[in-house]
Amino acid sequence: MIEVSGLHIRAGVFRLDDISFRVNSGAYAVLMGKSGGGKTTILEAICGLRAFESGSIRLDEREISALPPAARMVGYVPQDLALFSHLTVRENLGFALNVRRIPENGRIDELAGWLGIAPLLDRYPAGLSGGEAQRVALGRALAFQPSVLLLDEPLSALDEATRIEMHGVLHAVRERTRVTTLHVTHHREDAKALADVVMELRDGKIVPVS
Amino acid sequence: MKAVPGERSFYVALAVIGGAYALLVVLMILANVAYTTPGQLTAALGSPEIQASMRLTLWSCLVAAALSLIVAVPLGYLLARTNFRGKALLEALMDIPVVLPPLVVGLSLLIIFNHFRIGGTSLEQWLNARGLRVTFAVAGVVLAQFSVAAAFAVRTMRGTFEQIPSRVDDVALTLGCTRWQAFRLVTLPLARRGMLAAFTVAWARSLGEFGPLLIFAGTTRGRTEVLSSSVFLELSVGRLEGAVAVSLLMIFIAIIVLMLVRSSGGIRS
């Protein structure tokens, strides 16, 4: 569950005031809105990468506002993916497990199997297609079994065919993990294909979309 | 490269103007080669003084470059990734060793060590009492080389960190890293080519340093003599062929090091 209450964020001249919304456990929420409206800023605040002035963020009943990003147990896929280019796909997938000292126990092969990237495990990110890179970034974020998954425009740079293919992958992620997901996009098709709940950031406020 | 019709004159003009400088570099190397003979070269390189100078050059440049990298990594990261009060001042400070006349660097070091007082004695005397000599000693050679070389290494590292998206650090933090871990496990490995480039730039700069050495470390034969000072010493006693031989040796060492670094991917061609 993601519960954001009365969030006030200020960055230079940009500001978001009194942002509140809730995503129930296991739900797939899509947050829409114009580019530059602050959708990414909200995700960053939930991840712990952006300080905010006031308000609270609760994940699974846990107040996480004061926690560092590592302790929030949030899987994050940024728009540019930010894969670690010096590591192989296998090392990218296993990164969080290594850092958090979680035993691997076949987790990487399992993830790679159902994300369809098993043949890529020994390759480096530089040679991957857009869809392959997306799957790796998704797998890297899911490896440590976070309670919440945040996706920032994950399909924006993909062609139509790969986009539809990735809808299938995201459905599969949801079925397998039941992870609470907040997906930011400005594509209505993504919302139609994936969302249980659709919200829109309009004029600095979150409003539900039917 | 095959030019589009009509563009040939443009590329020819660029090649002629740029080629003039490349030709000057070639002529400088050829001038040294033409002025010496294999016999003179062997004699110069066989002399104990030049051999000692070569040894001191190699290791002093190595230490100066290593020290430069040690300060360049944190400074480059701070300048590339953070905004803080006084950043503009720090940027200006980092430019000073680059634009300052080399002799002024040496003079400034000399004043720091011999006129700044610690408990009634100069810094040099204070260090001497603890068994370390800097002014007109080998440590002075390294410090003089480091003082200028580090500024070049900082520039290189800043450029390196600016090219690595800060988003990779952010993702590493969400995956479980502390800021230190993100730096060690992600940022530094991604910066390794830049680090090699910064080390090489600092090393090459140290190899060519002379002005600060002359003032601060002196050019005492067999003690604080490095290859750049060997050229000066040979010239000062009228042995032009010796100076040319040492110059050729410096060119040779510089080319070998640059080739090694390029082949390892440290500096992208």
Side-chain angles (χ1 to χ4, degrees):
Chain A
M1 182 268 287
I2 306 169
E3 188 173 20
V4 173
S5 311
L7 201 62
H8 291 260
I9 305 173
R10 191 180 304 232
V13 290
F14 177 81
R15 55 187 293 166
L16 282 173
D17 288 313
D18 201 18
I19 296 291
S20 299
F21 64 91
R22 179 188 165 98
V23 181
N24 290 331
S25 286
Y28 196 115
V30 168
L31 174 60
M32 303 192 60
K34 280 189 265 184
S35 296
K39 304 187 297 294
T40 296
T41 305
I42 294 171
L43 290 195
E44 287 174 344
I46 299 172
C47 288
L49 301 172
R50 164 95 52 185
F52 51 88
E53 292 186 333
S54 61
S56 84
I57 302 173
R58 299 174 71 82
L59 300 182
D60 291 338
E61 309 301 338
R62 219 167 37 119
E63 172 60 53
I64 52 127
S65 307
L67 296 180
R72 297 188 178 204
M73 295 299 281
V74 171
Y76 174 48
V77 180
Q79 189 171 3
D80 59 1
L81 306 182
L83 290 176
F84 304 141
S85 59
H86 63 298
L87 302 178
T88 62
V89 169
R90 178 182 291 283
E91 290 164 335
N92 268 278
L93 293 180
F95 187 88
L97 302 179
N98 280 337
V99 171
R100 293 175 184 273
R101 299 180 192 283
I102 300 170
E104 198 265 340
N105 291 339
R107 174 83 179 141
I108 294 173
D109 288 320
E110 180 199 338
L111 264 176
W114 62 263
L115 285 169
I117 50 174
L120 311 175
L121 282 174
D122 295 324
R123 285 176 50 187
Y124 283 89
L128 303 179
S129 70
E132 290 167 345
Q134 283 288 352
R135 291 164 192 249
V136 175
L138 205 53
R140 181 182 62 177
L142 290 168
F144 66 103
Q145 298 179 306
S147 59
V148 166
L149 180 63
L150 303 180
L151 308 173
D152 190 1
E153 305 268 9
L155 314 180
S156 62
L158 302 178
D159 60 69
E160 201 52 35
T162 313
R163 191 180 188 83
I164 291 166
E165 190 183 302
M166 283 305 294
H167 285 166
V169 172
L170 290 169
H171 269 301
V173 165
R174 188 183 164 188
E175 289 306 312
R176 281 178 176 269
T177 62
R178 308 305 305 174
V179 63
T180 309
T181 305
L182 178 57
H183 175 153
V184 158
T185 181
H186 55 264
H187 285 273
R188 293 210 171 270
E189 298 76 27
D190 292 346
K192 276 185 196 160
L194 298 162
D196 300 321
V197 184
V198 184
M199 301 175 286
E200 187 168 352
L201 181 61
R202 196 186 298 159
D203 302 326
K205 297 283 175 210
I206 301 268
V207 291
V209 176
S210 55
Chain B
M1 177 171 52
K2 197 169 170 65
V4 174
E7 289 187 351
R8 189 180 168 80
S9 60
F10 172 73
Y11 289 109
V12 168
L14 293 190
V16 168
I17 297 166
Y21 179 62
L23 182 67
L24 177 65
V25 176
V26 171
L27 283 176
M28 286 195 297
I29 296 171
L30 286 179
N32 281 285
V33 174
Y35 200 85
T36 190
T37 63
Q40 288 170 335
L41 197 60
T42 315
L45 299 185
S47 91
E49 291 88 359
I50 302 297
Q51 286 184 357
S53 165
M54 193 157 62
R55 280 194 296 275
L56 180 59
T57 302
L58 290 177
W59 85 255
S60 67
C61 290
L62 201 68
V63 175
L67 292 173
S68 299
L69 192 59
I70 288 171
V71 298
V73 168
L75 276 171
Y77 186 89
L78 286 174
L79 289 171
R81 291 287 176 84
T82 60
N83 283 313
F84 52 90
R85 194 189 292 266
K87 183 175 175 180
L89 178 65
L90 182 62
E91 284 171 332
L93 280 174
M94 290 301 105
D95 286 339
I96 286 176
V98 175
V99 297
L100 214 57
L103 291 176
V104 178
V105 174
L107 188 62
S108 308
L109 288 171
L110 201 61
I111 294 169
I112 291 173
F113 278 81
N114 293 282
H115 288 275
F116 277 12
R117 319 297 288 179
I118 296 179
T121 62
S122 71
L123 180 56
E124 182 66 34
Q125 287 168 332
W126 188 85
L127 289 168
N128 290 168
R130 284 150 187 84
L132 179 65
R133 287 198 61 202
V134 180
T135 309
F136 300 113
V138 170
V141 172
V142 174
L143 185 59
Q145 290 171 333
F146 163 78
S147 301
V148 179
F152 287 86
V154 169
R155 284 182 164 203
T156 308
M157 285 317 300
R158 179 186 185 162
T160 298
F161 288 125
E162 279 173 346
Q163 283 174 20
I164 299 172
S166 60
R167 189 57 82 192
V168 292
D169 298 23
D170 291 345
V171 170
L173 295 178
T174 66
L175 292 172
C177 286
T178 60
R179 184 59 74 182
W180 278 107
Q181 284 175 312
F183 184 67
R184 183 171 61 83
L185 298 174
V186 178
T187 317
L188 268 190
L190 287 174
R192 64 185 186 278
R193 285 182 172 215
M195 288 166 70
L196 190 55
F199 181 88
T200 311
V201 165
W203 189 91
R205 183 70 218 189
S206 301
L207 177 73
E209 210 54 76
F210 174 65
L213 294 174
L214 178 69
I215 305 284
F216 183 57
T219 53
T220 313
R221 186 121 251 190
R223 273 187 52 208
T224 58
E225 179 186 358
V226 287
L227 288 175
S228 57
S229 32
S230 296
V231 175
F232 172 75
L233 287 171
E234 292 292 312
L235 276 176
S236 65
V237 293
R239 274 203 299 267
L240 188 53
E241 63 283 358
V244 171
V246 177
S247 302
L248 267 179
L249 178 65
M250 290 177 78
I251 292 170
F252 179 71
I253 292 173
I255 289 174
I256 291 287
V257 168
L258 283 174
M259 280 172 61
L260 279 176
V261 173
R262 273 187 190 276
S263 66
S264 69
I267 297 175
R268 286 164 201 245
S269 51

